């Protein structure tokens, strides 16, 4: 009966101007009413502006923890989302596009009717959730909805929540980049009452070593709200934070052992216990350091795409000693490392173009030039 539960009895579709996640389920229509294209009827349901405000706060709290900009409150997006939630509550359906009465139109036509004029737009909907925290958790648990929440192109938002006569809640959040929105407040405090720590990262392992660097990978932690990052420690001192489950620790000394630790952190800054591993850098060279970098990977090719992933492959690089690993980049963000000559970038947004890069590494920590390719995920209108 709720967004994520629909996975078991319906299908998730993507429908967007640029990024819109859709879960569609039909229902019977209520009696027709004469209403303007952005003014809801009071008979459709009860507007829950209090819950809408809580969603904005929680989403901005999550984005702050990910290092993303705060979303300003947009009047057109708020009007569109409020209309949508009330319409779903009054007519008992669940879909992004609006069925008649009073008007049959696409979701994007609705936001335009409400005065939206931005160049980016997306929308998340849900029903059956009883609290703002639970609906945000549900959206974050779905890759398509989460992509909207984490999209760096979005700078504004508008949320509408409505209850029907039976008390069921319908939720809509629109995202955009329109100007003239109300500036967001300072990053909000952590969600009240969240004192639960994430689980400790498991499977911490060394994947490659060099004279001045080591590479590590671990399994993702879980949290009652959501993990926002992982702290990396050298000898018990926090050295930095990463968003993924792999890291290259550089600036080390050759032939030396280090205690490397990793913990998980959530939006409320609760930190898990630290997982640790002892790793030794490669031995110092007695005949002079290896300063020759591997050759740049060649033949970089896109082998497969979906709405949320892009797979690539390349030809092996050469090196005077030997290539030990390849480092993968999504724009300026390190996406991971691999010892093979193929990689799949996952968790991407639909209908977007990405610059993907690969570098070769050797045991001495020398890095090749970066080879890049530009590729796009499949359209949000695609079913796969």
């Amino acid at each position: 009966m709720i967004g994520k539960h629909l996975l078991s009895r319906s299908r998730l579709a993507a429908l967007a101007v640029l990024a819109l996640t859709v879960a569609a389920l039909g229902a019977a229509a209520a009696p027709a009413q004469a209403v303007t294209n952005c003014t809801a009827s009071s008979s459709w349901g009860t507007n829950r502006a209090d819950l809408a405000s809580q969603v904005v706060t929680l989403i901005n709290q999550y984005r702050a923890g990910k290092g993303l900009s705060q979303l300003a409150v947009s009047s057109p997006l708020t009007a569109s989302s409020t209309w949508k939630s009330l319409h779903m509550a009054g007519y008992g359906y669940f879909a992004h596009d609006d069925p008649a009465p009073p008007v049959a139109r696409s979701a994007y036509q609705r936001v335009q009717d409400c005065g939206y004029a931005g160049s980016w737009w997306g929308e998340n909907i849900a029903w059956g959730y009883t609290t703002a925290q639970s609906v945000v958790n549900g959206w974050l648990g779905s890759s398509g909805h989460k992509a909207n929440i984490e999209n760096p192109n979005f700078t504004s938002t508008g949320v509408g929540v409505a209850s029907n006569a039976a008390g069921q809640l319908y939720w809509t959040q629109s995202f955009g980049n329109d100007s003239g929105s109300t500036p967001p407040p300072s990053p909000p405090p952590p969600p009240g009452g969240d004192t639960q720590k994430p689980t400790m990262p498991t499977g911490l392992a060394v994947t490659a070593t060099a004279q001045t660097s080591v590479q590590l990978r671990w399994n993702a932690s879980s949290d009652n709200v959501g993990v926002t990052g992982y702290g990396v420690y050298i000898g018990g001192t926090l050295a930095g934070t990463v968003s993924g489950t792999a890291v290259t620790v550089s600036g080390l000394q050759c032939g030396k052992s280090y205690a490397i630790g990793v913990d998980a952190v959530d939006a409320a800054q609760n930190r898990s216990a630290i997982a640790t591993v002892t790793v030794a850098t490669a031995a110092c060279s007695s005949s002079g350091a290896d300063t020759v970098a591997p050759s740049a990977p060649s033949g970089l090719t896109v082998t497969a795409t979906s709405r949320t992933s892009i797979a690539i492959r390349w030809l092996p690089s050469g090196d005077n000693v030997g290539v030990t690993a390849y480092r993968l980049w999504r724009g300026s963000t390190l996406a991971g490392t691999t010892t093979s000559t193929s990689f799949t970038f996952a968790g991407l947004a639909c209908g977007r173009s990405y610059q993907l890069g690969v570098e070769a590494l050797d045991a001495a920590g020398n890095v090749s030039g970066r080879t890049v390719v530009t590729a796009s995920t499949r359209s949000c209108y695609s079913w796969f």
Side-chain angles (χ1 to χ4, degrees), residues 3-299:
K4 59 184 178 182
H5 181 62
L6 286 171
L7 287 168
S8 64
R9 71 186 214 192
S10 183
R11 62 181 177 180
L12 286 177
L15 172 63
V17 174
L18 284 172
L20 168 60
T21 302
V22 173
L25 179 64
Q33 301 190 38
V35 184
T36 63
N37 285 356
C38 198
T39 302
S41 169
S42 59
S43 65
W44 289 351
T46 302
N47 181 18
R48 293 297 305 273
D50 56 326
L51 294 177
S53 177
Q54 292 175 30
V55 171
V56 173
T57 297
L58 290 170
I59 293 296
N60 271 335
Q61 172 65 44
Y62 177 81
R63 284 175 63 95
K66 301 291 286 186
L68 297 167
S69 65
Q70 298 289 276
L71 299 176
V73 177
S74 161
S75 295
L77 294 180
T78 299
S80 173
S81 295
T82 301
W83 193 100
K84 182 61 183 179
S85 289
L86 284 166
H87 195 246
M88 289 192 295
Y91 286 82
Y93 71 97
F94 184 56
H96 281 275
D97 291 342
D98 304 336
V103 56
R105 59 187 172 183
S106 70
Y108 190 57
Q109 287 173 323
R110 171 175 23 90
V111 294
Q112 289 180 311
D113 287 345
C114 290
Y116 178 71
S119 58
W120 283 83
W121 174 73
E123 182 178 87
N124 288 345
I125 60 175
W127 73 286
Y129 290 87
T130 58
T131 67
Q133 185 68 73
S134 66
V135 75
V136 170
N137 289 349
W139 282 333
L140 290 174
S142 164
S143 60
H145 298 78
K146 185 178 181 181
N148 275 340
I149 292 171
E150 295 182 351
N151 192 326
N153 295 294
F154 292 146
T155 59
S156 58
T157 191
V159 177
V161 184
S163 62
N164 62 15
Q168 280 188 325
L169 293 172
Y170 289 79
W171 309 76
T172 305
Q173 181 169 22
S174 293
F175 303 85
N177 65 340
D178 52 329
S179 59
S181 301
T182 302
S186 299
D194 179 19
T195 59
Q196 184 171 327
K197 299 178 180 180
T199 59
M200 183 179 72
T202 60
L204 178 60
V206 179
T207 57
T209 60
Q211 290 181 328
T212 59
S213 65
V214 297
Q215 298 175 26
L216 303 101
R217 185 175 292 276
W218 56 91
N219 299 322
S221 296
S222 61
D223 185 64
N224 63 316
V225 176
V227 173
T228 59
Y230 296 90
V232 179
Y233 299 79
I234 302 176
T237 300
L238 182 63
T241 301
V242 297
S243 58
T245 56
V247 68
T248 298
V249 181
S250 57
L252 307 179
Q253 297 180 25
C254 59
K256 188 175 180 180
S257 293
Y258 292 87
I260 308 295
V262 176
D263 70 358
V265 61
D266 63 18
Q269 295 304 302
N270 299 308
R271 306 195 78 98
S272 74
I274 300 175
T276 60
V277 64
T278 300
V279 57
T281 52
C284 301
S285 173
S286 58
S287 59
D290 174 17
T291 60
V292 178
S295 62
S298 61

Side-chain angles (χ1 to χ4, degrees), residues 293-384:
S295 62
S298 61
L300 181 58
T301 305
V302 176
T303 57
T305 62
S306 72
R307 289 191 297 111
T308 59
S309 66
I310 300 174
I312 63 172
R313 68 183 178 192
W314 58 93
L315 299 175
S317 294
D319 185 65
N320 64 317
V321 177
V323 173
T324 58
Y326 296 92
R327 192 155 52 191
L328 287 305
W329 295 86
R330 185 182 68 250
S332 60
T333 300
L334 179 62
T337 58
T338 182
T339 57
S340 72
T341 55
S342 63
F343 187 81
T344 298
F345 294 85
L348 308 179
C350 58
R352 284 189 58 188
S353 177
Y354 291 88
Q355 186 180 72
L356 308 175
V358 57
E359 302 168 337
L361 304 162
D362 66 15
N366 299 307
V367 182
S368 75
R370 187 181 306 177
T371 303
V372 299
V373 64
T374 299
S376 298
T377 50
R378 288 185 179 269
S379 166
C380 298
Y381 292 93
S382 171
W383 292 102
F384 55 91

